[in-house]
Amino acid sequence: MTDAPMTGVREQEANAADGLKAFGFWVYLMTDLVLFASLFAAYAVLHTSTFGGPSGRDIFDLPFVLAETVLLLTSSFTCGLALLSARAGSARGTFAWLCATLALGASFVALEIYEFAGLVRAGDGPSRSAFLSSYFTLVGTHGLHVALGLPWILAVMAAILRRGLSRSSLRKLMLFSMFWHFLDLVWIFIFTVVYLMGANLL
Amino acid sequence: MNWAALIFGKLSWSVFPDNPIALGGAAFMVCCALLVLALITYAGRWKWLWSQWLTSLDPKRIGVMYIAVSGVMLVRGGIDALLMRAQQATSVGASDGILAANHFQQIFSAHGSIMIFFVAMGFMFGIVNLVLPLQIGSRDVAFPFLNSLSFWLFASGAVLINLSLILGDFSTAGWLAYPPLSELAYSPTTGVDYWLWSLQISGLGSLLAGLNFLITIIKMRAAGMTPMRMPVFVWSVAGSMSLVVFAFPILTATLALLALDRTLGMHFFTAGGGGNMMMYVNLIWAWGHPEVYILILPAFGIFSEVVPVFSGKKLAGYFSMVLSIWAIVFLSFLVWLHHFFTMGAEADVNAFFGIMTAVIAIPTGVKIFNWLFTMYRGRIRFYTPMLWFMGFVVLFTLGGVAGVVLAEPPADYQLHNSLFLVAHFHTMIVSGVLFGYFAGITYWLPKIFGFRLDESLGRKAFWCWLFGFILAFGPLYILGFMGATRRLDHYAAGLGWQPLFIVAGIGVLIIALGFAFQVAQLVRSIRQRRTALDTTGDPWDGRTLEWSTASPPPAHNFAVLPTVHSLDAFWAAKQEGTPADVRYEDIHMPKNTGAGIVIAGFVFLFGFGVVWHMWWLAIFGIAGAFISALVRTFAEDTEYVLSAAEVEAQEKARGRAPALMPL
């Protein structure tokens, strides 16, 4: 993909190609949503199968989870600001907001690892009971997605460093932000269904 | 610390097969692979193979590769079928038959998994690749590189499942690996892991391919091709790919959960620890039932192209065909529970799913009648694709009626897990799906290669398949009523089943003869191709856009992109005889790339590493796949340009000498 100035027809073709990629990625995200739906279904079936182990009420630390939530939602906000900066043509601003997104996302992953490690140390790991298997898998799959997003942010930043806000950099940024907002959406469901309902607050 | 275990995982010298039949199978496969490699080296074709085929992003070539892999896998699955028939024909009374029980179980598990995932799916994606872009008047699919990656993931899965012949054993838990049998406690060897990871890898390829084709249909159609001007094959693929996009993530999740149980000691489906094995059965069939329609819808689409062309009429009831496709798509998600009526759900639940299942017969019946109405008063030409259709329509209707019988929960309580069920679903998959794909391959191969397949051998193949099928599965319907259950490795002599099993065995031999005729047909057609060249691009007097371009088409499919004004666009153009106003333009095409093979190769290493608990290899594989995918997103200069002058020169040259796809 070259970034030389384009003539009218080529520009239209390139716009159409970018639109196609964005649409394709949308559909991919919908398939990912079906995957999460399956994991939610497994959690819904197994969340009472504690097999003598702890229930959600015993292990969920809601203030801690609230901190995770705030981190992730804020990172979604900074990701949106990065996109706005890019639209305004500010490579510097885009880069800065992506740095913030990276830091917030990494903190979220760190907190989740800390939470999981604490549970495993206490003997409440994923092999303790069916409930814990489904809990670790659902929340962990979301965490894995966030963790995979971190090198992706780095790749977008590398593209901006190398070529500025070129067409290909903007496309990478656009796809990444769709992915990131999608993870935010899934987390809202996890926060509600797993943590709030699990702690009997809803 | 045990260093050997750290490096080799569960691999050791004892993983090679020890019984003579399994050893023979492994040796045969290794010899075949070595022979192929030697032949390529001898012919000096490696460079050609790499640059023209393996790295190609041309859907027509990817389609041919899909069909080649599936053809090889059909041999493997077919040998499994012969062994099973041989076992059941001989294992009666005092005789234990030719196979050990454990080996027999591996064979029926492999047969089902291979036939569905690597034969039917591969033929389906192969034909879709060959035809779909041409039929919608497009130069390519929406994401050409993703298409190559999808194929190589499919091929990686195929290699992994065949590796189980040589290293270790295969799953004994049936083609859908129900827990708790498939859990570590009852299947401690690597067999189920081979099953899990070969399906997971090829399933990922299928998911990506489904997404790609769905978007291709939505976004890449020729100018003027409104939805109601799309050929029915395109509609059927749209339905099938929608199902792929919704159903395959469920398979991915389900396989992942079983893998977590087996490798990390979790308790999703285990007998203890609070696991729920019926959740597995629900999840796997929430994918598995749509999967049946993923396979059959494109076959319906093929027949909807073949029947009008060979009847010289337009398809009867186009609108009702489209409507019935979407009715089937919708209903296919509401019937999964009929695979386990005996689970013990309450009567209301069983009644709901029973009624929904029976209701699917209505849109399917609409299609059968439309095809027959298309033939009515048509000038029918009995070429082999039409023969496959007529074989299909008889057998499929009978098999469908058997399906409606099974849809009644009280009848199902008697018939479930019996050979009646086995006979029913083989009727749907063999005479429905496979006959449809054979018709499609015979119908469209002249377009792709530029010559027709030999008719006389094609007919012989058809009649062998038809009568072989009736002989092989007719007895199974009867045996099912007599109480013979599926997956039986031995039965008492007094039951009187042996004669029927022997007849079924003879039937499979006749099917094998039919397959041999198909191989002979391909060989003879290639040798004599210059006598059956298609110089017109339209050998069958076709109706849709793929016949408007040359056979074989250039890599860019159409020198000038077509504009569509009606349904059956090419037929209409032929009737009106409108001289095309030719104005050539520059064409941008994707360059070939080996990135798909590299990424899929790393994924294969990951799969092999996880199966054998070689964790360093698994980490290496997944990291390699991730990094090479990232590198690909930074690739520049991925396109080449064919100038308008070059296109024009090519078109003029084509008028003089018929092109042949380089063989």
Side-chain angles (χ1 to χ4, degrees), chain B residues 24 450 540 579:
Chain B
W540 313 113

Side-chain angles (χ1 to χ4, degrees), chain B residues 7-39:
Chain B
I7 295 169
F8 295 109
K10 292 163 120 185
L11 268 181
S12 70
W13 290 110
S14 63
V15 302
F16 293 102
D18 47 7
N19 79 65
I21 291 180
L23 203 62
F28 176 72
M29 209 186 62
V30 172
C31 289
C32 284
L34 288 177
L35 187 70
V36 170
L37 296 183
L39 275 176

Side-chain angles (χ1 to χ4, degrees), chain B residues 31-334:
Chain B
C31 289
C32 284
L34 288 177
L35 187 70
V36 170
L37 296 183
L39 275 176
I40 298 171
T41 312
Y42 176 74
R45 288 292 192 122
W46 277 110
K47 192 158 182 268
W48 166 82
L49 195 66
W50 176 261
S51 61
Q52 297 290 312
W53 288 92
L54 305 186
T55 59
S56 177
L57 297 194
D58 182 346
K60 298 180 286 298
R61 286 168 187 264
I62 292 175
V64 171
M65 291 194 287
Y66 263 114
I67 291 174
V69 172
S70 294
V72 172
M73 295 302 275
L74 180 61
V75 175
R76 162 90 208 268
I79 291 173
D80 288 343
L82 280 168
L83 287 171
M84 279 149 63
R85 282 284 138 264
Q87 171 73 7
Q88 292 189 322
T90 55
S91 176
V92 55
S95 160
D96 281 334
I98 60 166
L99 299 171
N102 174 279
H103 193 205
F104 178 74
Q105 290 160 359
Q106 290 183 44
I107 285 173
F108 69 63
S109 304
H111 170 79
S113 314
I114 284 174
M115 288 301 198
I116 293 292
F117 288 94
F118 296 103
V119 177
M121 287 301 273
F123 276 139
M124 192 265 284
F125 279 121
I127 293 170
V128 171
N129 260 297
L130 294 185
V131 181
L132 191 101
L134 283 163
Q135 213 169 44
I136 61 172
S138 164
R139 296 224 154 93
D140 212 327
V141 295
F143 309 112
F145 169 66
L146 195 65
N147 197 20
S148 161
L149 178 61
S150 304
F151 166 73
W152 285 108
L153 287 171
F154 165 78
S156 295
V159 174
L160 192 60
I161 203 170
N162 278 315
L163 217 55
S164 69
L165 271 181
I166 306 168
L167 298 176
D169 54 2
F170 192 66
S171 166
T172 56
W175 81 283
L176 281 184
Y178 282 8
L181 178 58
S182 56
E183 291 285 358
L184 201 59
Y186 306 102
S187 293
T189 64
T190 50
V192 176
D193 300 301
Y194 268 122
W195 180 85
L196 274 172
W197 291 102
S198 57
L199 263 53
Q200 189 70 294
I201 292 171
S202 75
L204 184 63
S206 301
L207 177 61
L208 294 175
L211 186 147
N212 201 348
F213 283 110
L214 184 62
I215 291 165
T216 303
I217 295 172
I218 296 174
K219 291 281 195 180
M220 306 283 282
R221 299 192 309 276
M225 188 180 272
T226 55
M228 292 315 280
R229 288 178 187 165
M230 295 193 321
V232 174
F233 179 71
V234 176
W235 273 114
S236 72
V237 175
S240 166
M241 297 301 137
S242 311
L243 287 173
V244 168
V245 163
F246 281 108
F248 266 77
I250 307 176
L251 177 72
T252 308
T254 311
L255 295 178
L257 299 186
L258 184 58
L260 287 171
D261 274 5
R262 288 181 60 88
T263 40
L264 296 183
M266 294 200 192
H267 293 291
F268 283 100
F269 314 121
T270 50
N276 185 336
M277 55 218 75
M278 281 322 294
M279 182 170 73
Y280 178 91
V281 181
N282 272 284
L283 282 171
I284 201 84
W285 283 113
W287 158 81
H289 200 84
E291 166 69 7
V292 179
Y293 292 95
I294 289 168
L295 296 176
I296 196 72
L297 281 175
F300 288 168
I302 290 167
F303 289 132
S304 303
E305 301 298 316
V306 163
V307 174
V309 165
F310 291 101
S311 302
K313 283 175 68 190
K314 79 178 174 69
L315 183 71
Y318 173 84
F319 181 68
S320 61
M321 278 305 208
V322 173
L323 212 62
S324 61
I325 286 170
W326 291 98
I328 290 174
V329 166
F330 178 72
L331 288 172
S332 73
F333 273 107
L334 294 176

Side-chain angles (χ1 to χ4, degrees), chain A residues 18-36:
Chain A
D18 284 358
L20 197 63
K21 287 198 170 120
F23 180 59
F25 195 67
W26 251 115
V27 178
Y28 162 74
L29 288 180
M30 292 307 104
T31 67
D32 224 10
L33 199 61
V34 178
L35 183 106
F36 275 110

Side-chain angles (χ1 to χ4, degrees), chain A residues 1 24 31 34 127 130 133 137 155 172, chain B residues 215 246 249 265 267-268 273-274 633 637:
Chain A
M1 194 72 50
T31 67
V34 178
S127 51
S133 299
T137 303
K172 286 190 174 69
Chain B
I215 291 165
F246 281 108
H267 293 291
F268 283 100
T633 68
D637 196 22

Side-chain angles (χ1 to χ4, degrees), chain B residues 55 57 589-593 632 636-640:
Chain B
T55 59
L57 297 194
M589 294 293 293
K591 279 183 185 168
N592 288 357
T593 171
R632 168 71 194 177
E636 295 181 24
D637 196 22
T638 55
E639 287 190 350
Y640 69 94

Side-chain angles (χ1 to χ4, degrees), chain B residues 471-472 474-476 478-479 482 496-505:
Chain B
L471 277 183
L476 298 200
I478 303 166
L479 281 165
M482 291 164 81
W497 294 346
Q498 195 179 23
L500 285 169
F501 274 121
I502 290 174
V503 172

Side-chain angles (χ1 to χ4, degrees), chain B residues 384-401:
Chain B
T384 24
M386 202 59 192
L387 294 182
W388 288 116
F389 167 74
M390 293 196 301
F392 151 83
V393 89
V394 174
L395 293 179
F396 191 80
T397 307
L398 291 173
V401 172

